[in-house]
Amino acid sequence: MLKQLFSRKDIDEAVQRLAAAIERDFDNEEIIFICLLKGSFIFTSDLVRHIHNPSVIDFMRVSSYGKGMQSKGAITITKDLEENIQGKNVIIVEDIIDSGLTLKYIYDMLIAKEPKTLKICALVDKRERRTIEIKADYVGFTIDSGFIVGYGIDYAEKYRNLPDIYIIEE
Ligand code: IMP
Ligand code: MG
């Protein structure tokens, strides 16, 4: 059963707040946004439309999840970056930080490419299962636990098209 957690209005407000914070921090400098597919495709497209800095959008896909609800630990890159990020301001745009393993892996891989700055923007920070030290610079919502879907976020590839965010209840 799906129970609404964040409405499209809540989401819109959060996205505008994040965009304003990013604009403030980067003072019209160029930013490369790295959208982590597939979960953050809607979040990224809303976020970048609120940002007036010169922007470049790139995409990466790593898979850490199968069709279940828990990270399998093994991470593979199935689509790599196309932009050269050396010396650039880079913001990773992620849907959810859960254990933190996925993001830590990506963060370390990108930092090795020597960007000028590397920040993390996460729509949802989920605290309960964090097993690794990683902190997002920009966070839309913080939740303790629960499995959420909607606004790009899936369960077994479903529900990405829902405009609001829901929690799956037994
Ligand atoms: P981590 O490596 O455990 O931090 O996994 C993060 C990834 O797992 C996120 O980018 C999501 O794709 C997925 N994930 C974690 N929690 C949820 C959830 O509640 N709903 C849907 N996907 C989730
Ligand atoms: Mg993801």
Side-chain angles (χ1 to χ4, degrees):
M1 211 186 81
L2 299 184
K3 192 181 141 214
Q4 197 182 100
L5 187 61
F6 304 118
S7 69
R8 60 200 80 183
K9 184 165 171 288
D10 299 331
I11 298 169
D12 191 47
E13 283 169 8
V15 170
Q16 291 196 41
R17 176 171 50 78
L18 295 173
I22 291 170
E23 284 190 336
R24 220 169 24 242
D25 289 352
F26 286 92
D27 196 24
N28 218 36
E29 285 182 56
E30 186 181 282
I31 303 170
I32 301 185
F33 292 92
I34 301 182
C35 169
L36 299 185
L37 296 172
K38 299 178 188 172
S40 60
F41 81 109
I42 295 178
F43 176 39
T44 304
S45 56
D46 281 345
L47 182 73
V48 297
R49 281 182 291 175
H50 285 292
I51 289 177
H52 302 91
N53 297 52
S55 298
V56 172
I57 326 287
D58 203 353
F59 300 88
M60 252 183 105
R61 173 134 166 86
V62 303
S63 50
S64 55
Y65 269 56
K67 299 212 182 300
M69 289 194 181
Q70 267 194 46
S71 188
K72 290 184 301 186
I75 290 159
T76 50
I77 297 177
T78 54
K79 193 221 165 288
D80 209 343
L81 279 187
E82 292 173 14
E83 294 297 317
N84 178 0
I85 64 167
Q86 189 174 28
K88 307 280 186 166
N89 296 310
V90 177
I91 301 182
I92 305 170
V93 185
E94 172 65 312
D95 54 354
I96 304 171
I97 313 180
D98 188 13
S99 72
L101 292 170
T102 310
L103 209 49
K104 176 80 170 87
Y105 178 86
I106 293 170
Y107 188 91
D108 290 348
M109 205 182 68
L110 296 180
I111 206 87
K113 296 177 190 277
E114 302 176 332
K116 179 177 173 199
T117 58
L118 182 59
K119 305 278 187 197
I120 296 170
C121 178
L123 181 63
V124 178
D125 185 354
K126 197 155 89 175
R127 294 261 157 91
E128 189 189 54
R129 287 201 298 227
R130 190 68 42 83
T131 56
I132 209 156
E133 185 61 38
I134 186 134
K135 215 176 149 290
D137 303 278
Y138 309 98
V139 175
F141 303 103
T142 301
I143 62 174
D144 284 331
S145 58
F147 199 87
I148 62 174
V149 296
Y151 193 69
I153 301 164
D154 75 310
Y155 172 55
E157 291 302 326
K158 299 224 174 66
Y159 309 119
R160 293 194 198 274
N161 56 316
L162 302 178
D164 309 281
I165 294 179
Y166 295 82
I167 192 151
I168 299 188
E169 293 193 329
E170 301 293 311

